[in-house]
Amino acid sequence: MTNQQIGGSVDSKICVAGVDLNGLMQVLSKHLYSTPMVALRELVQNGHDSLVRRRIEQPNWQDQGRITVIGDRHNKQVRIIDTGAGLTEYEIHTFLATVGVGYTRTLRQQDDETGLIGMFGLGFLSAFVLAKQVTLITTSYQQPDKGWCYRSTNAEQYTVTAVEPRATIGTEIILELKDEFLFLSTQESLNHILGRYCILLHEPIYINEAKEPINPEPPPWRKRDSAVVVHPLQEMRKRLSFAARFEQNFEPICTFPVNPTEQSDAIGMLWVQDGATYGTSDNRNLSIFLRGMLLDDDARDLLPSWAGFIGGVIESSRLVPTASREDLQKDESYHAVQYALSEALINGLADVASKQPEIWRRILKRHNEALLGASLCDDRLFELLMSTIRIPSSQGDLTVQELRSNNAIHVMLGNNGGFEDTLFRALQMPVALGDRYAVVPFLRRFAASTGCKLIELGTEQGNQHLFSLAELAADEKQWLTAQLADGEAIVAARFSPAELPLVVVADREAELKKRLEEDEADKKISQAALRLARQFTAKITATETAKLYINLNNQAVIDLLKAFHTKNTNVEQAARLLKSLKVIMAGHDIHNHTLDLNRALVDFTQTIQTVLTHL
């Protein structure tokens, strides 16, 4: 088209864009819907909206209304029948056979509180994903003496013919199933699919000849007859039973209500899963229903990221779906519901802690590690959990009060069971395992909020609390280095217990600095994270990754130094024995693979043999 034509000259021409329905069907079947079975949901939803429409437009209609889905394996059909408003011939052409136009949307634009579900005018088109031919027979409440039959094989060309009016007002859709979808004609498949998507619909839905609908009871949060009094225990069991329908992997322990707020219209419930998980596991499970129809059964991002042990089901009318109605637009309503769920969860946990101590203990037992991390995400959670959460330690899982000694808590930052394990076993004091999930940040926050001293072992500052530095003569230090060290720096100190002659202390900060400065770090760590880490380690001046603290309070060390000065002939054998003890107590090889445990055991044995031969 030329610029002159665009400008609107007499030669300009208005063109109408074409719609390739065959291409659109490819989008529907392969891209828009996660599974073609969603088409059944769309057709049942159309029946639901037809019932709602009839109640709106025909106020004197008092019948209950129903939707029936019939699987006919013999004839390779599925039929969806409703007793709703039906369609006139004009409405078939205007709404049913026009892509993207729906009568339901017109009604919703007039009043969004109708309870209607449809939005995009694509629901009926989805029938062609499943069927090689679609037939619709309908009679409108507006023309009860007329019937119409729509028939099409591709949604692009169709016929509409006059037929006898239906015995009851409403619509019947007949799907001539494609071969790959014949399994949908079985009652088992229909129960499974529609029982999942339609369990919260207000209108009753029957499968084949079933006497009970697949949605027989309203969910626990919907209003019931106020004259019926339900015992709290019975109500609790009913909620747990309802939650179990949506919780595929775990048994629900307890439930929390989700109530509407000024910002969020979400209503429903959350529950705690009865399944022990690691702190980093994510088993969040949230089902979202839009006006009673399942929209998304994996909406985990609406739950807090720390709530990996929480399931839930909610209803909302404000959440806006995408065209597939299997995902949500992350708009203002989305974030309002997200916040409301977080608040409902925190308040629910606090309520259980205060009113149901037995269940609270069960929650703590199942999800201690996950709650440890969760407590760092919200001040109220931290206050709720700080005294009851258990911290992994050298003596098992303990509360912070059980870890506390002289208003101090000790935590070892490494994971190799080095000097901290040896020292604190000798002191008979527990030490927290700082390499476990969320332990160090939790203890830091606890110390800051309570005034308790946190001693982080393996850091220069932390070690100062354990070791009181002392002096060695230059010749003593040189000799001890030659006799006892395997690359460690010798440090003279006085520390408890006095019975411990020496201990190898790993410098966790120097270890980290060395590890990050190695070329291999560039291959294993993202550059952004590596730059930040190296900014921290640049401030670390220590170069030795381990130090050997010599305890000048220990009588064996005192006697060894005396023997050195008196040139006792057995002093080197004594030093050899002490070095063997050093290696054995060090446990894991903590620096440069220089601690040879096998060599130490040989030296220890030979020294004992030498001593015995001189007795």
Side-chain angles (χ1 to χ4, degrees):
M1 187 178 286
T2 66
N3 289 335
Q4 184 180 14
Q5 289 173 319
I6 294 173
S9 73
V10 293
D11 295 329
S12 66
K13 183 178 181 181
I14 299 174
C15 301
V16 178
V19 177
D20 181 356
L21 282 184
N22 187 51
L24 184 56
M25 294 307 299
Q26 291 289 317
V27 172
L28 282 174
S29 61
K30 294 186 178 180
H31 303 290
L32 190 60
Y33 297 134
S34 63
T35 167
M37 277 70 80
V38 172
L40 280 178
R41 176 196 71 183
E42 298 293 298
L43 297 172
V44 170
Q45 173 208 292
N46 283 356
H48 168 276
D49 285 352
S50 181
L51 288 164
V52 175
R53 174 194 170 186
R54 187 171 181 184
R55 290 195 177 90
I56 293 171
E57 297 181 351
Q58 192 180 6
N60 60 342
W61 182 54
Q62 300 298 325
D63 292 355
Q64 181 184 10
R66 64 183 283 158
I67 300 168
T68 304
V69 181
I70 298 174
D72 186 344
R73 182 73 174 179
H74 177 73
N75 291 311
K76 302 179 180 181
Q77 293 178 346
V78 169
R79 296 155 56 205
I80 300 97
I81 305 166
D82 69 73
T83 58
L87 296 167
T88 64
E89 182 184 16
Y90 169 80
E91 289 171 341
I92 291 175
H93 292 293
T94 305
F95 300 115
L96 187 70
T98 305
V99 177
V101 178
Y103 188 79
T104 298
R105 183 169 59 185
T106 303
L107 286 178
R108 289 186 65 248
Q109 288 171 346
Q110 298 171 9
D111 182 2
D112 197 35
E113 301 300 321
T114 57
L116 293 161
I117 303 171
M119 297 184 70
F120 303 107
L122 297 175
F124 182 70
L125 190 62
S126 68
F128 294 92
V129 172
L130 302 178
K132 52 190 176 185
Q133 178 173 283
V134 178
T135 301
L136 178 143
I137 302 170
T138 185
T139 294
S140 170
Y141 79 94
Q142 302 169 80
Q143 300 173 338
D145 58 340
K146 294 183 179 181
W148 301 99
C149 176
Y150 162 102
R151 184 173 283 111
S152 177
T153 58
N154 58 12
E156 191 169 5
Q157 291 88 30
Y158 66 94
T159 62
V160 177
T161 57
V163 295
E164 289 293 317
R166 285 172 44 81
T168 57
I169 302 297
T171 300
E172 176 177 357
I173 299 173
I174 304 170
L175 306 179
E176 306 286 346
L177 294 171
K178 296 176 181 177
D179 290 343
E180 61 267 36
F181 298 120
L182 288 180
F183 69 92
L184 293 177
S185 60
T186 66
Q187 180 155 343
E188 182 181 6
S189 295
L190 293 174
N191 279 333
H192 175 72
I193 295 168
L194 298 180
R196 172 186 170 206
Y197 283 113
C198 308
I199 190 171
L200 297 193
L201 278 182
H202 294 263
E203 308 295 344
I205 301 166
Y206 296 84
I207 307 295
N208 291 350
E209 303 299 323
K211 295 182 180 179
E212 288 291 326
I214 60 172
N215 51 340
E217 294 184 356
W221 55 85
R222 286 189 189 158
K223 291 182 180 179
R224 299 196 186 102
D225 187 350
S226 58
V228 178
V229 179
V230 180
H231 190 277
L233 185 60
Q234 185 180 2
E235 181 68 23
M236 181 181 72
R237 288 174 178 169
K238 195 166 190 175
R239 287 178 174 272
L240 288 172
S241 175
F242 188 83
R245 298 185 186 183
F246 295 87
E247 186 55 61
Q248 302 297 318
N249 299 315
F250 305 99
E251 175 192 350
I253 295 178
C254 61
T255 65
F256 314 134
V258 176
N259 295 315
T261 65
E262 186 175 339
Q263 292 76 27
S264 165
D265 73 330
I267 186 170
M269 65 183 185
L270 304 173
W271 56 81
V272 177
Q273 300 162 347
D274 185 14
T277 61
Y278 292 106
T280 53
S281 295
D282 187 359
N283 294 304
R284 288 177 297 171
N285 165 29
L286 183 68
S287 297
I288 305 293
F289 285 78
L290 180 66
R291 299 179 178 89
M293 180 66 76
L294 180 64
L295 174 69
D296 188 355
D297 60 358
D298 189 24
R300 60 179 57 202
D301 288 343
L302 276 170
L303 292 170
S305 59
W306 53 262
F309 52 96
I310 295 296
V313 54
I314 63 169
E315 293 186 273
S316 171
S317 296
R318 295 182 191 170
L319 290 172
V320 180
T322 59
S324 69
R325 284 201 291 277
E326 294 185 75
D327 201 358
L328 296 166
Q329 296 183 25
K330 293 177 174 54
D331 55 12
E332 185 177 342
S333 296
Y334 179 94
H335 294 296
V337 171
Q338 198 172 42
Y339 177 78
L341 293 180
S342 177
E343 291 297 291
L345 180 50
I346 293 171
N347 293 331
L349 288 170
D351 191 61
V352 170
S354 64
K355 297 178 181 178
Q356 303 179 64
E358 184 176 341
I359 291 179
W360 181 239
R361 286 192 295 271
R362 188 174 168 190
I363 292 173
L364 289 174
K365 183 177 180 181
R366 294 291 189 274
H367 303 294
N368 185 85
E369 190 174 29
L371 287 168
L372 183 63
S375 68
L376 300 172
C377 301
D378 188 276
D379 290 341
R380 292 164 296 172
L381 275 178
F382 183 79
E383 290 294 325
L384 176 65
L385 293 163
M386 61 184 290
S387 298
T388 54
I389 207 76
R390 303 185 77 80
I391 311 298
S393 80
S394 58
Q395 296 183 10
D397 293 344
L398 303 174
T399 65
V400 284
Q401 296 304 327
E402 293 169 330
L403 280 170
R404 207 167 179 171
S405 177
N406 297 323
N407 199 38
I409 294 175
H410 299 83
V411 56
M412 56 180 174
L413 304 181
N415 62 358
N416 54 21
F419 88 94
E420 302 97 336
D421 187 41
T422 301
L423 181 62
F424 280 87
R425 275 195 293 120
L427 290 170
Q428 296 184 338
M429 288 172 54
V431 56
L433 306 181
D435 63 307
R436 302 293 182 83
Y437 174 71
V439 166
V440 172
F442 177 87
L443 291 178
R444 285 174 179 168
R445 185 166 183 176
F446 177 84
S449 63
T450 62
C452 175
K453 186 183 297 182
L454 180 63
I455 301 174
E456 299 183 19
L457 307 174
T459 66
E460 192 66 34
Q461 185 176 11
N463 292 342
Q464 288 174 4
H465 291 280
L466 298 177
F467 305 107
S468 178
L469 298 183
E471 293 293 333
L472 278 174
D475 58 341
E476 291 175 333
K477 188 170 185 177
Q478 184 178 5
W479 182 77
L480 287 172
T481 299
Q483 296 296 320
L484 301 178
D486 290 288
E488 312 98 344
I490 294 289
V491 180
R494 300 181 186 278
F495 54 90
S496 295
E499 293 77 17
L500 190 63
L502 69 153
V503 66
V504 178
V505 175
D507 190 319
R508 307 302 179 193
E509 294 172 336
E511 282 182 344
L512 176 63
K513 181 182 179 74
K514 182 178 180 181
R515 191 162 61 248
L516 290 177
E517 289 176 350
E518 291 174 348
D519 292 339
E520 286 297 309
D522 294 313
K523 303 175 184 178
K524 299 177 180 178
I525 306 173
S526 72
Q527 290 302 304
L530 194 59
R531 281 195 297 271
L532 289 173
R534 285 174 174 169
Q535 286 176 15
F536 167 75
T537 56
K539 304 173 185 177
I540 299 172
T541 58
T543 56
E544 302 93 350
T545 57
K547 297 176 181 178
L548 177 57
Y549 281 80
I550 306 295
N551 191 358
L552 298 187
N553 284 337
N554 180 264
Q555 191 60 48
V557 172
I558 295 171
D559 291 341
L560 184 69
L561 291 174
K562 284 181 181 178
F564 163 70
H565 287 297
T566 61
K567 302 190 185 312
N568 188 305
T569 56
N570 295 319
V571 67
E572 290 191 4
Q573 288 183 0
R576 187 180 174 193
L577 188 64
L578 203 56
K579 182 176 181 178
S580 300
L581 179 64
K582 176 201 79 170
V583 175
I584 294 169
M585 288 194 306
H588 297 283
D589 183 2
I590 59 175
H591 60 289
N592 297 329
H593 305 283
T594 56
L595 296 184
D596 188 338
L597 179 59
N598 187 62
R599 179 71 258 171
L601 292 173
V602 171
D603 288 346
F604 189 84
T605 302
Q606 291 177 349
T607 303
I608 294 294
Q609 291 172 340
T610 301
V611 171
L612 291 174
T613 59
H614 288 85
L615 289 178

